[in-house]
Amino acid sequence: MLTVVPGLSVSLPADGPSSPLIDQIVREGARQMLAAALQAEVAAYIGQFAGVRDDDGRRMVVRNGSAEPRTVLTSAGAVEVTAPRVNDKRTDPDSGQRMRFSSAILPRWARKTPQVTEVLPLLYLHGLSSGDFVPALGQFLGTGAGLSSSVIAKLTETWKAEAAAFMTRDLSQVDYVYLWVDGIHLGIRLEEDKLCLLVMIGVRADGRKELVALADGYRESAESWADLLRDCARRGMRAPVLAIGDGALGFWRAAREVFPQARTQRCWFHKIANVRGALPKSAHPGAKKALAEIWNAEDKDHARAAVKAFAAAYGAKFPKAAAQIVDDEDELLAFYDYPAEHWIHLRTTNPIESTFATVRLRTKVTKGHGSRAAGLAMAFKLIESAQRRWRMVNAPHLVALVRAGATFVNGKLIERSGDQPPAANSASPVAAQEVIARAA
């Protein structure tokens, strides 16, 4: 319960003439609450070992004054803290070393709360220049301490180590059923070429989306993709059931070499862009509608009929545009062989495109030269942050059925060989377990 203390303004810290009274009250309240919590934590620790005494009957765990005051950046602003100290004379029976009290509320060297520690890299990654932290946040937090560009430089080194550890982790315990792949070109000038990131995002058997791999490549070449896929296979990655990507990628040749059993689905987002590029602007509205009749058809038969209609309408005048669809017809319509609930996820590489919108935002700010390792680490941290907000695919229990080899016709589950598609796709988690058991 909030209590208004009479005369509180007398004890308020001097935050400067521009600091509003409400901010001063919030910070002073935070300081008092933190001080009380630290005192209670120490009291509980000492009380726990009140009965532990030395040979002379003196307590082994006692108070030992207070540490030097320090300023901690919190979500309420900068708060000055004076932490109580503990003299613990006990020794560890195994190692023989002195026991040490460690506060769970305020670790020994903490200068920023976890929330502030997380928001600093996010602000940097989303476009705030490292030199702008002090003027941008100093007034808001009440201090510029801990906001220098050197802090960001240290964070970048940490991100590099985290990205390197991620790319060497064991993949044998994770099963990715669907896999989105794309090559993302960033605007960071690195030596002769811009940075090209090879990105793979997968759907686990439980329906969760997850970053699988992130590496820098050379112009999305088949050799770069093959190196990445072989590395994933060495670390235990299983072949996906379906891979979704742009038809121009060198990924497909690499996938046929490393994971030949995986099926392929061309991204409709990229394909529509390719078709529009082969048509005059005056033909774009009609072509867009005709293409929607294909990818948005109710089943594969209607989609194939729409492909023929598109070829008949545009093939004579614009053969290159028609060939974009006709030549890749099977790969463009592969998603019809999977659950209808998943079609919206399988038609495009949107999970990658939407995620990298924030990466491109940051690279517009980073206009100078940089290292490949720093660019890769920056992208890794942005994706890691975005991944927490990714939602599961629709009908996640059906992903296990896909991995188990269940048959879907026009998006509807066929329970047994020879069955007719049910009137409605009502497959349940129980049905999923039954198909998995039969497959095993």
Side-chain angles (χ1 to χ4, degrees):
M1 181 177 69
L2 178 64
T3 303
V4 179
V5 181
L8 178 62
S9 60
V10 177
S11 63
L12 289 175
D15 285 348
S18 61
S19 180
L21 178 60
I22 188 171
D23 288 337
Q24 297 180 46
I25 293 174
V26 169
R27 290 171 188 166
E28 176 60 15
R31 186 193 66 78
Q32 293 182 9
M33 292 175 64
L34 180 57
L38 291 172
Q39 292 288 348
E41 183 185 35
V42 167
Y45 184 83
I46 293 175
Q48 181 181 357
F49 303 105
V52 180
R53 299 175 181 267
D54 61 14
D55 295 338
D56 296 327
R58 292 189 291 266
R59 288 188 175 187
M60 299 284 286
V61 183
V62 295
R63 290 180 181 270
N64 188 27
S66 300
E68 290 294 324
R70 55 174 154 155
T71 299
V72 180
L73 290 180
T74 72
S75 55
V79 177
E80 186 176 88
V81 180
T82 302
R85 296 193 304 184
V86 175
N87 184 11
D88 193 337
K89 301 177 183 178
R90 297 173 303 134
T91 58
D92 189 321
D94 297 328
S95 64
Q97 296 182 349
R98 282 278 299 269
M99 303 291 284
R100 182 187 295 273
F101 167 73
S102 179
S103 174
I105 299 174
L106 186 67
R108 189 177 181 184
W109 303 110
R111 292 295 184 272
K112 294 183 287 290
T113 62
Q115 288 80 3
V116 173
T117 301
E118 291 177 4
V119 80
L120 290 181
L122 285 178
L123 288 174
Y124 171 71
L125 292 170
H126 282 280
L128 187 65
S129 175
S130 58
D132 294 333
F133 271 82
V134 173
L137 296 180
Q139 181 68 23
F140 176 73
L141 295 175
T143 179
L147 301 176
S148 65
S149 58
S150 63
V151 172
I152 301 301
K154 292 178 181 178
L155 285 172
T156 303
E157 293 302 316
T158 302
W159 300 339
K160 290 179 184 178
E162 291 176 359
F166 176 81
M167 286 305 299
T168 57
R169 75 196 191 284
D170 179 29
L171 296 176
S172 60
Q173 303 302 314
V174 186
D175 183 14
Y176 299 109
V177 180
Y178 298 132
L179 190 69
W180 292 286
V181 300
D182 204 353
I184 304 296
H185 294 270
L186 301 182
I188 305 176
R189 297 191 299 274
L190 300 166
E191 300 172 353
E192 297 180 358
D193 301 302
K194 292 182 179 180
L195 178 62
C196 176
L197 295 179
L198 308 182
V199 188
M200 298 197 304
I201 294 177
V203 177
R204 298 166 62 111
D206 60 4
R208 286 182 292 159
K209 300 174 186 175
E210 185 174 274
L211 177 65
V212 179
L214 179 70
D216 61 327
Y218 180 73
R219 298 182 182 276
E220 307 179 47
S221 67
E223 291 77 11
S224 296
W225 277 110
D227 289 342
L228 178 59
L229 290 178
R230 281 193 290 264
D231 178 63
C232 291
R234 281 193 298 268
R235 290 186 281 126
M237 179 178 170
R238 187 178 177 185
V241 175
L242 182 69
I244 306 99
D246 178 14
L249 292 178
F251 170 83
W252 305 114
R253 191 170 71 182
R256 286 192 294 270
E257 174 190 338
V258 183
F259 296 130
Q261 60 273 52
R263 290 192 61 188
T264 60
Q265 166 67 47
R266 293 292 189 267
C267 171
W268 272 98
F269 177 82
H270 289 89
K271 182 59 69 175
I272 290 173
N274 294 337
V275 172
R276 286 163 62 93
L279 292 172
K281 289 186 178 180
S282 59
H284 287 184
K288 181 179 179 180
K289 183 177 180 180
L291 291 172
E293 292 291 332
I294 303 173
W295 63 262
N296 205 28
E298 60 179 293
D299 54 44
K300 184 178 284 190
D301 291 338
H302 285 86
R304 291 194 184 279
V307 169
K308 293 180 180 178
F310 181 85
Y314 296 93
K317 292 184 178 180
F318 312 109
K320 290 184 178 179
Q324 290 280 351
I325 300 299
V326 175
D327 292 350
D328 290 336
E329 180 177 348
D330 291 337
E331 289 79 8
L332 286 168
L333 306 182
F335 69 89
Y336 282 106
D337 297 331
Y338 298 92
E341 292 87 344
H342 298 172
W343 290 357
I344 190 174
H345 305 290
L346 304 181
R347 287 190 289 239
T348 72
T349 55
N350 184 62
I352 294 179
E353 293 293 332
S354 59
T355 298
F356 270 85
T358 55
V359 179
R360 291 190 175 96
L361 171 64
R362 175 60 203 165
T363 58
K364 289 180 181 178
V365 178
T366 312
K367 297 178 181 178
H369 293 275
S371 69
R372 288 188 175 274
L376 187 66
M378 180 187 67
F380 169 72
K381 292 304 294 183
L382 273 172
I383 297 175
E384 185 182 57
S385 173
Q387 186 171 269
R388 302 190 188 103
R389 300 186 297 274
W390 289 348
R391 66 181 183 88
M392 301 174 72
V393 297
N394 297 337
H397 62 279
L398 295 178
V399 179
L401 286 169
V402 173
R403 170 55 80 185
T407 300
F408 291 84
V409 175
N410 290 323
K412 297 180 179 180
L413 175 66
I414 304 300
E415 291 286 356
R416 289 175 298 276
S417 178
D419 284 357
Q420 295 297 320
N425 191 2
S426 57
S428 65
V430 175
Q433 295 300 324
E434 290 177 353
V435 173
I436 293 174
R438 289 199 298 270

